[in-house]
Amino acid sequence: MELLIIIAFGAAIYWLWQRVDALQRRIDQLEWAQSAAAEQVAEEPVASVALVRSVAEDVAQSEILPEPEPEPEPEPEPERETSLAREALPAEDPPFVSAEPAAADITEQVENEPEPAAEPDPEPEPEPAKRSFDFEEIFGRRLPIWVGGITLAIAGILLVRYSIDAGLVTPSVRVAMAFVFGIALLAGAEFAHRKADLVGDPRICQALAGAGLATLYAGFYLAGSQYGLIGQTLAFLGLAAVTAAAIALSFRFGLPCAILGLVGGFAAPLLVGGEEANLPLLTIYLGLVTVGLTQAGERQGRPWLSLAALAAGLGWGALLLLYDDVGTAEILALGFYLLLLGAVLPSLVTGGSFARPVRLASALVASLQLALLVDRAGDGLLAWGLYLLMGATLAGLAWKRAELREASAVAMVIAIGLLTQWDPVADWTFYALVAGAAVIFAGVPTLHIWLSNEAKPATLADRAQVAAGSLGLMAATYVIVGEPFAPETTEWRPAITALLLAAFPLAAAIRTRRDPDATGWTALFSASAALLVLICALLVTPSWTAPIVAAAVLGILLFANLRRSDKASTALISGACMAVLLLLFGSAGFEQEFENLFTGQQDGIDGRAILRWAAVSLALGAAAWRAKAGRAFDIGQIGAALAGYGLAAQILPADTLPWLAAFAVGAFGFARFAADPARWALLGVAGLWALLPLMEWSATGIEAGAGAQTFLLDWPTWRDALLRILPFGAAAAALGWRGGEAREWSVPYVPGPALFWAAGAALLVTLHILYKQIFGIETQTSFIANALAERTIWQALLIGGAAIALRPLPRIGAQPAMALALTGLALAHLVWFTGVVHNPLFTAQAVGPVPIANLALAAGIVALAALWLIRGMTGLRGRQAVDALAMIAITVTALALLRQMFSGSILTAQPMGQTEDLLRSVMGIALAIGFLLIGRMRGEQSWRIGSLVLMLLAVAKVFLIDAAALEGLLRIASFMALGFSLLGIGWLYARQLGTKGSKENAEADPS
């Protein structure tokens, strides 16, 4: 322990060193400013003004010394030398000196000088000489004095401690020695002060006074608390006298004395502690020390001294809570001590810019310590009474000093937390404490709000205590006395508590309602009161009525805010709407009702469910009607629409619900009021009904696209298509057709065309599912017989729809985008499923027994039709790509037709022979010639290039494959045919290129 105290004193020494060094620098600055002003006033009075002002501001802003009210000082003489200024300074360090008067006088004197005729060029301003490190000054003169004073204090305390441990002297002699030594030190300090010329350094008297104070503190503590040599009254008077002496000596001897008194006063009980400490007397002692030092700091303009005393006092409060035997006297003493440090003293401390955090921190720490005391006392009335007394003290002091109301809010938060830890049985005592806390922490702020005006407005802490404090007290009450796991139990006591607590925010709402600038607070108070009333009603009504009760409270709010359209009231109604929905979702019986939303009514109509959903729907509809626009309008309409659907789901079967939602979307479109939020909500309901069948359809389509053979049972049923998917399409079309984008509302805007696309997609999926029912492919045999026909007809239907979309339709006109989408879908379906996944050339599928007139030709015609439509809707580059696809489609179709002639309906039934292979080559050459002729007739290069590519492939096949396998006349015939074909193609190309060249020459030379 001694080591810790020595370390503390060492830290104090270092701090004092820094402060005194800074003080010396400030004195040097003042002297330099005086001298510089005196030298420049005569020559450059105007230029010196800025210099002196700058120095004065720098000195005034320094925090080295406090700045009390300035005292009158004689005006400095400009002609006085620096040495004379030094002689004018006092020989001792005053406890506080303000530099502002001197600087102000210099400035005033300079400004009163006459202005010169012409302002000369300013010269560089001299800077004060930097102080160098003086080893002898610090280690030879300053430190020995400070260390000597502290050593004397420690020596006195350790001497007393040694005498106690060794048993050398009796308690009376020990105490007498302490008093004698302390008084001797104080006498030495006074002698040194009066004989300043002889002593030569004011720090000696400061060190002696601080050591004497610490020793006298220990002496009185030993006499009263440890040994009982004097009574408590005499000990109290002695401690008060030492405290008064410390305050007086700090004024007489300056800052170091105050610091040593601070350290010695709070350290004495630790150094001389005894076996049987008297807690009440110790709290009185610590309280006096804290009060004396805080007031000394305030009077001397040293806020740091007050803050340090408060911090030390609260630190002692934490140590005192570790006291073992806590009785009535100890509780009272410690409670009043914490009350003093948490409420009274912070209100008297100015602290400059630190005043607000100091008050909040003091209230927080003291409240926490009092809460621990209440816990140690077993939630006894005495400890609780002390805590409420501190709250009342804070509230009383804050009546005239509004800055203290934040500390009251801090105490309220801790009180609420402390109530949640109530240990005994919750009887009338608990409710009395809740009532007391409510009056102090909610009632007083409510009174502040009612009496507020422009001169004395209510603070943020007041409003927060009323709005949140009432709810917090109710939450703490229900934590202790509530029965959350017995929903059907009527809880009258907490219900009445909630109703009484609602009076505070309700009164505040009534008062602020008249202030147009406090609409936000009015809404917040109304929300707090409404929530407490709702809690009261929920605690005394059956659990299944929760949404009905919430709807009734929402109705009250709507009536109270009927003519208010500000944002805060709108937010209040929006929050109430959300609360109604949440209570509906979380109340008893919702599980079955929620299941009915997706399955419809199955087990009979439930009257309770009808009442619940009807009440919510009406309340939310009224909220939307009242709002007319904004967020409350959207939430109210959406909630009312969903609740209306929920009401229908408790009555109607599942098959009717999707069409009911779709019909409501269309019906609201013809209403005279804006109903877009409700229509979007019902569209979402219809979309949820369509979600599962759409997911099933998508999953089966992905499997089919991957090459799996899907059958009728893998796809959604026709009932799913007509009763689930189609209603969503109808709802999307109705919303896009009428009003979906015409009115403004806060839900993100979705344009009408997107809705039509969604409707078209739903309709297309429905038609696809119904189309699947026609062919009914359920086995592998039926797949081979009908799969190609099913795909080809479906693709033809898509192309037919595209052709219709290109025509000008009534009211909507031509839809080229839809035509392009349908054509592209048909082509992609054909290329992937017929050309890649289930190509009849490689997969067993029937194309038909008749040559030429079969499904292979039909598929080719469908592909060419799709490409023809796409070609008409694309540009030049797109047309070249389409021409390439058309040539590929013609070639593949020709190969399939040739294969059908040799293999029959199933193209994979027979292997390919030599004759068929030769005919493929001949057919390739013939197709190349045909493509060349088409290119010549149409004047399109793409067909000529395609002809060359196909010709090269055919020639390569003939030379590399066909000719190598033939013998005799067949090989000769093949070469002859190839030769004539090449000649014919060369002739055709020559004519084509020659015609092209003639045309180009004619265009180049028109003469």
Side-chain angles (χ1 to χ4, degrees), residues 226-286:
Q226 291 293 314
Y227 307 125
L229 300 177
I230 58 178
Q232 291 187 353
T233 303
L234 186 58
F236 174 82
L237 294 176
L239 292 171
V242 175
T243 302
I247 298 174
L249 291 177
S250 66
F251 281 94
R252 185 172 181 81
F253 298 121
L255 179 63
C257 184
I259 295 177
L260 292 174
L262 172 68
V263 177
F266 283 108
L270 290 176
L271 290 174
V272 300
E275 299 176 356
E276 298 179 357
N278 187 327
L279 184 61
L281 188 59
L282 180 58
T283 55
I284 295 174
Y285 163 70
L286 293 172

Side-chain angles (χ1 to χ4, degrees), residues 667-703:
F668 281 136
F670 292 92
R672 293 185 177 181
F673 57 89
D676 284 344
R679 300 177 72 197
W680 278 97
L682 293 172
L683 176 65
V685 170
L688 288 176
W689 277 106
L691 183 61
L692 288 178
L694 284 175
M695 291 176 62
E696 182 181 1
W697 179 86
S698 300
T700 305
I702 292 173
E703 292 179 3

Side-chain angles (χ1 to χ4, degrees), residues 764-841:
L764 185 62
V765 172
T766 301
L767 294 176
H768 182 263
I769 295 173
L770 296 177
Y771 178 76
K772 284 285 185 181
Q773 311 300 318
I774 298 175
F775 286 87
I777 299 177
E778 297 180 347
T779 63
Q780 181 69 23
T781 303
S782 60
F783 179 83
I784 295 174
N786 301 319
L788 181 59
E790 181 190 63
R791 293 197 305 271
T792 304
I793 296 174
W794 173 250
Q795 295 153 8
L797 291 174
L798 292 177
I799 294 173
I804 294 174
L806 286 174
R807 299 178 62 84
L809 301 176
R811 299 196 57 163
I812 64 173
Q815 298 293 326
M818 183 175 293
L820 182 61
L822 290 174
T823 306
L825 182 61
L827 184 60
H829 191 276
L830 186 146
V831 169
W832 184 252
F833 286 100
T834 302
V836 178
V837 177
H838 300 301
N839 193 322
L841 291 172

